[in-house]
Amino acid sequence: MKTRQIGRSGLSTSTLGLGCMAMSEFYGAFDETENMATLERAMELGITMLDTADLYGDGRNEELLGRFIAQTSHAPLIASKCGIVRTDEIMSDGNFKRERCGTPDYITASCDDSLRRLGIDVIDLYYLHRIDPNVPVEDSMGALAELKTAGKIRAIGLSEPTADELTRANTVAPVDAVQSEYSLWTRLVEDEVLPVIRDTGGTLVCYSPLGRGLLRKTGAPPKLDADDFRRTLPRFTQDSFDANAPLFDLLDEVAADAGVSVPQLMLIWLLDQGGDIVPIPGARKIAHLEQNAAAVDLSVDRAALDRLSAAFSPDAVVGARYTEGKAVKAG
């Protein structure tokens, strides 16, 4: 497995990381034994970065990784996050209401709680999961910088900042990594945020690089469990799926011509966008994990990649990535 740098932190990661969110929540049923086997196989394949957050499973995802760390002979690079707070209020779509918090005291306490759940002394990469609109980003960054000085974290990250927020944050301390949704289906980061990441020497860590599993099977959307939150997303409705048929057709055509799977093609396209990009596709099954990992060593003709770039413009994709007003979601 090839490696890429994490900003200016001095840390390196496998070119592909593993998003662990679905191992505890949001994407339907999961199995502890299968999760552990998949995590171990990721290490065997050279995938070093395991991405979690205190939000996922209300801390249970970090506890899962803590159990894995305690039993494996490998030394994974752990990325975690704080900044999205669960509430007891249930919204009309059945999901719990989320709020943002970026106060220094909260960030410090959350890091300590994450360290305890993970069973480690230092978190390699620690993100503010979402920026709190009621707290200046400079204040939140100050708390993250203090955690780094104290040796509790090794690198600082922000998730889904605006270009302005990222610029301001870097005046306090280097933002080594920005985690944002980025895939052929969602390219909002390209115009404003990615240029700032590159100007400041950061790394873009891409969650949902496969469009949250937006893959066509037998002409229909993926079958989702009753508690899978993707049922609430506009892009997963049948109407959106039907409207996006030409894009699915193009993915099938290019993948077949190149001799790769559609998920591999999407990862190949993403990795081709720059050496400062690290996708973290989620996988609960070893077969999916191995297929994703193999994409790192595959290539597709330049003309074919350019076709995809032109076809998957933001205006061409039907269906918003979130329901209106629900942007503080999983990811």
Side-chain angles (χ1 to χ4, degrees):
M1 175 65 66
K2 301 168 185 176
T3 61
R4 295 187 171 186
Q5 298 301 305
I6 300 178
R8 292 171 285 176
S9 67
L11 297 175
S12 63
T13 176
S14 50
T15 298
L16 212 66
L18 176 61
C20 300
M21 180 186 78
M23 292 182 174
S24 298
E25 196 174 23
F26 296 116
Y27 281 20
F30 51 87
D31 178 83
E32 171 91 2
T33 301
E34 184 177 56
N35 286 341
M36 287 293 189
T38 300
L39 290 167
E40 185 65 26
R41 182 59 180 147
M43 298 292 101
E44 294 169 356
L45 292 168
I47 296 175
T48 57
M49 181 190 290
L50 302 180
D51 183 88
T52 183
D54 60 4
L55 173 73
Y56 305 157
D58 199 12
R60 294 188 297 276
N61 197 248
E62 289 181 325
E63 291 171 350
L64 168 71
L65 294 192
R67 292 192 293 275
F68 174 70
I69 292 167
Q71 73 176 39
T72 187
S73 60
H74 299 278
L77 186 153
I78 299 297
S80 193
K81 316 174 197 72
C82 72
I84 301 180
V85 181
R86 304 167 75 102
T87 74
D88 294 330
E89 182 179 344
I90 302 300
M91 299 182 295
S92 59
D93 61 6
N95 287 295
F96 58 84
K97 184 178 180 181
R98 301 150 175 81
E99 297 177 348
R100 303 185 186 197
C101 188
T103 64
D105 287 347
Y106 162 82
I107 290 172
T108 301
S110 295
C111 182
D112 287 340
D113 289 342
S114 290
L115 287 167
R116 174 181 51 79
R117 285 189 289 264
L118 289 161
I120 56 180
D121 296 324
V122 57
I123 297 171
D124 296 295
L125 173 56
Y126 196 54
Y127 298 91
L128 184 61
H129 206 160
R130 293 292 189 275
I131 292 172
D132 185 342
N134 299 312
V135 177
V137 68
E138 293 86 350
D139 293 353
S140 300
M141 281 296 296
L144 292 167
E146 289 179 4
L147 289 173
K148 186 174 181 179
T149 299
K152 293 184 177 182
I153 67 175
R154 293 192 173 97
I156 296 173
L158 296 178
S159 184
E160 299 251 337
T162 65
D164 176 67
E165 289 166 341
L166 180 56
T167 299
R168 289 165 48 201
N170 270 288
T171 66
V172 178
V175 178
D176 297 299
V178 169
Q179 186 171 138
S180 289
E181 184 172 357
Y182 188 29
S183 71
L184 275 168
W185 294 103
T186 300
R187 298 170 62 182
L188 301 176
V189 72
E190 289 180 342
D191 290 340
E192 297 181 359
V193 176
L194 185 53
V196 177
I197 295 172
R198 288 176 167 159
D199 286 346
T200 54
T203 297
L204 176 59
V205 177
C206 313
Y207 76 84
S208 298
L210 302 179
R212 297 187 183 276
L214 188 63
L215 304 170
R216 184 173 64 179
K217 294 182 179 179
T218 63
K223 293 182 180 180
L224 305 177
D225 291 347
D227 59 347
D228 192 315
F229 98 103
R230 289 174 293 180
R231 286 178 172 270
T232 68
L233 303 183
R235 201 169 289 170
F236 279 79
T237 65
Q238 186 66 58
D239 286 346
S240 293
F241 231 76
D242 293 342
N244 286 321
L247 297 177
F248 286 113
D249 291 343
L250 178 60
L251 284 171
D252 289 342
E253 177 189 340
V254 174
D257 288 346
V260 301
S261 70
V262 168
Q264 287 173 334
L265 175 62
M266 296 177 71
L267 291 172
I268 292 166
W269 177 88
L270 195 53
L271 290 169
D272 186 67
Q273 302 311 302
D276 51 2
I277 287 175
V278 177
I280 51 169
R284 290 179 294 193
K285 297 185 181 299
I286 289 177
H288 295 161
L289 175 76
E290 292 175 339
Q291 178 180 227
N292 293 342
V296 173
D297 297 315
L298 299 174
S299 61
V300 173
D301 179 79
R302 164 59 50 200
L305 295 177
D306 289 344
R307 266 185 85 192
L308 293 174
S309 295
F312 278 82
S313 65
D315 292 338
V317 175
V318 176
R321 67 176 184 138
Y322 288 126
T323 304
E324 184 69 23
K326 304 282 178 62
V328 183
K329 278 288 188 181

